[in-house]
């Protein structure tokens, strides 16, 4: 038996997950853009997710799946906007379970970053109406970047309908057999757009104060919790916009200080776990390097613990070895490790890391007792 932390089980809400090495959501741009296949998982999704589930991760979080068709990141993204789609998503949940992993799914509204093309499209820019594109919406008429569409601001009534759309999609996901859902509050999509003063300039009840900007996220979490009973409810957040001094709440962008406050409220609203990422709402320089988002996960974990809300926290981003993953868990920076790109190149990486850690734990003869302290396994 491995004594690694990585391959120990963890409980998320009422859901037991066999280990702490997870697959984070990664868009596959493989659903049809229109017609009867709009938003449905295809054979590609089954083979792609099934292979990763088989490869030893404890949980697979299926890619950003829109709660309404106009919330799709690209014209080829998944969407779970209709009860008629439940059987197709049930096949996906079944395949992941058959591989031995827990099945979660990320629910999203892309807001001003909607209506894109697949990453590999030859043409630049957003999808045009002739290929199934649409006018994106957002909190305010502020584009993500120069040259990108200026979003149409949602009316107050349209904004108030967003939590219900998340809750309905979450109910469908659980009906399809998923063990839980992840609300996408990161990477500059609609909920993050409302949170950040860099993208939200509203003066109604959905903008202005921190409390108003967080209202949409908090109502979404509460509505989703009410819709899914005791299935797991996770929230992915960008802990910072990477724009300015992160220690200062009330800045002109979303900061780590804001995140530390919000996560405590979200647990009160029904969140079982926080998955920490960063960035995506503002074009800026991100200091990406090995484990660069781990300090943000640690800060979130500390905030939750000191507020008496110690739900699990996941870290992600350029974590590329079993030893690095172990160290993050052992040092108490996070409870779960997510690895994205490494799983794209090697679906079996979970099994490889498990056998490496197990071999390290068991293959050597017992050390002389003089060396015991210095050779103790992680
Ligand atoms: C192809 C691709 C698609 C992605 N799609 C999503 C997504 O749907 N939702 C999301 O929250 N993050 C998405 N991400 C970000 C990953 O979940 C992850 O946070 C990121 O790749 C950093 O982790 P890594 O260094 O282990 O790859 C995507 C990343 C990649 C490479």
């Amino acid at each position: 038996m491995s004594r690694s932390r990585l391959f120990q089980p963890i409980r998320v809400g009422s859901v037991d997950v066999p280990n702490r090495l997870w697959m984070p959501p990664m868009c596959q741009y493989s659903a049809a853009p229109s017609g009867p296949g709009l938003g449905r998982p295809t054979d590609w999704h089954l083979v792609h997710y099934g292979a990763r589930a088989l490869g030893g991760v404890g949980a697979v979080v299926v890619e950003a799946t829109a709660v309404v068709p106009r919330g799709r990141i690209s014209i080829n993204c998944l969407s779970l906007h209709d009860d008629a789609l439940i059987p197709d998503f049930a096949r996906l949940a079944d395949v992941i379970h058959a591989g031995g992993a827990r099945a979660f799914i990320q629910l999203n509204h892309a807001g001003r970053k909607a209506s894109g093309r697949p990453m590999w499209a030859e043409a630049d820019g957003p999808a045009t109406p002739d290929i199934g594109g649409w006018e994106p919406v957002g909190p305010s008429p502020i584009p993500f970047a120069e040259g990108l569409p200026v979003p149409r601001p949602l009316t107050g009534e349209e904004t108030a309908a967003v939590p219900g759309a998340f809750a309905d999609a979450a109910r469908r996901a659980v009906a399809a057999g998923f063990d839980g859902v992840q609300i996408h509050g990161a990477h500059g999509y609609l909920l993050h757009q409302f949170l950040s003063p860099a993208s939200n300039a509203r003066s109604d009840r959905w903008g202005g104060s921190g409390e108003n900007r967080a209202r949409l996220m908090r109502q979404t979490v509460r509505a989703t919790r009410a819709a899914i009973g005791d299935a797991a409810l996770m929230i992915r957040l960008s802990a910072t916009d990477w724009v300015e001094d992160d220690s200062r709440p009330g800045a002109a962008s979303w900061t780590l200080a804001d995140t530390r406050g919000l996560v405590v409220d979200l647990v009160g609203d029904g969140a079982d776990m926080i998955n920490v990422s960063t960035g995506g709402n503002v074009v800026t320089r991100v200091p990406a390097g090995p484990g660069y988002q781990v300090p943000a996960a640690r800060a979130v974990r500390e905030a939750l613990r000191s507020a008496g809300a110690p739900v699990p926290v996941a870290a992600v981003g350029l974590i590329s070895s079993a030893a690095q993953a172990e160290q993050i868990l052992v040092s108490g920076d996070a409870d779960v490790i997510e690895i994205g790109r490494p799983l794209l190149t090697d679906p079996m990486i979970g099994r490889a890391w498990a056998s490496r850690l197990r071999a390290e734990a068991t293959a050597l003869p017992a050390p002389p007792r003089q060396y015991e302290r210095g050779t103790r396994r992680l």
Side-chain angles (χ1 to χ4, degrees), residues 24-29 63-64 73 106 182 184 186-187 189 236 277 292-293 316-319 338-342 344:
M26 284 181 284
C27 290
Q28 295 299 298
Y29 312 106
E63 69 201 67
I73 297 171
Q106 185 182 55
Q182 180 183 82
H184 200 348
H187 303 168
Y189 297 112
R236 196 169 216 204
S277 187
Y292 70 108
Q293 296 178 136
V316 72
L318 295 177
I319 299 169
E338 298 172 328
I339 50 165
R341 287 163 289 182
L344 295 182

Side-chain angles (χ1 to χ4, degrees), residues 156-172:
E157 208 175 320
E158 286 171 325
T159 307
V162 169
F166 272 88
D168 285 344
R171 171 184 55 75
R172 291 179 196 116

Side-chain angles (χ1 to χ4, degrees), residues 210-226:
E211 187 187 343
N212 280 358
R213 284 182 281 108
R215 191 183 308 282
L216 186 61
M217 169 61 90
R218 295 195 60 189
Q219 287 195 0
T220 298
V221 172
R222 283 191 225 128
T224 303
R225 167 52 74 208

Side-chain angles (χ1 to χ4, degrees), residues 91-273:
R91 287 189 69 210
L92 189 49
D94 287 350
V95 162
I96 294 168
H97 286 148
R102 287 293 193 175
F104 300 127
I105 184 166
Q106 185 182 55
L107 300 177
N108 187 37
H109 189 309
R112 68 178 180 171
K113 288 172 88 175
S115 187
R117 299 171 192 259
M119 286 296 165
W120 54 78
E122 276 168 26
D124 280 339
T128 44
D130 55 308
I131 57 163
W134 61 93
E135 180 191 36
V137 295
S140 304
I142 305 172
F144 169 58
E146 226 180 280
L148 291 182
V150 176
R152 177 181 69 76
L154 287 172
T155 64
E157 208 175 320
E158 286 171 325
T159 307
V162 169
F166 272 88
D168 285 344
R171 171 184 55 75
R172 291 179 196 116
V174 172
F178 282 91
D179 301 295
V181 300
Q182 180 183 82
I183 291 173
H184 200 348
H187 303 168
Y189 297 112
L190 188 69
L191 296 175
H192 184 180
Q193 290 161 30
F194 268 85
L195 287 174
S196 173
S199 41
N200 182 347
R202 297 176 79 100
S203 52
D204 62 2
R205 61 199 294 268
W206 306 103
S209 67
E211 187 187 343
N212 280 358
R213 284 182 281 108
R215 191 183 308 282
L216 186 61
M217 169 61 90
R218 295 195 60 189
Q219 287 195 0
T220 298
V221 172
R222 283 191 225 128
T224 303
R225 167 52 74 208
I228 63 170
D230 66 355
L233 176 51
M234 302 175 283
I235 319 296
R236 196 169 216 204
L237 290 175
S238 281
T240 172
D241 281 345
W242 291 114
V243 170
E244 57 201 312
D245 180 1
D246 250 2
S247 58
R248 198 159 58 90
S253 65
W254 186 252
T255 69
L256 188 56
D258 296 319
T259 301
R260 286 171 58 98
L262 177 68
V263 289
V264 176
D265 290 337
L266 294 182
V267 171
D269 294 330
D272 292 320
M273 176 168 187

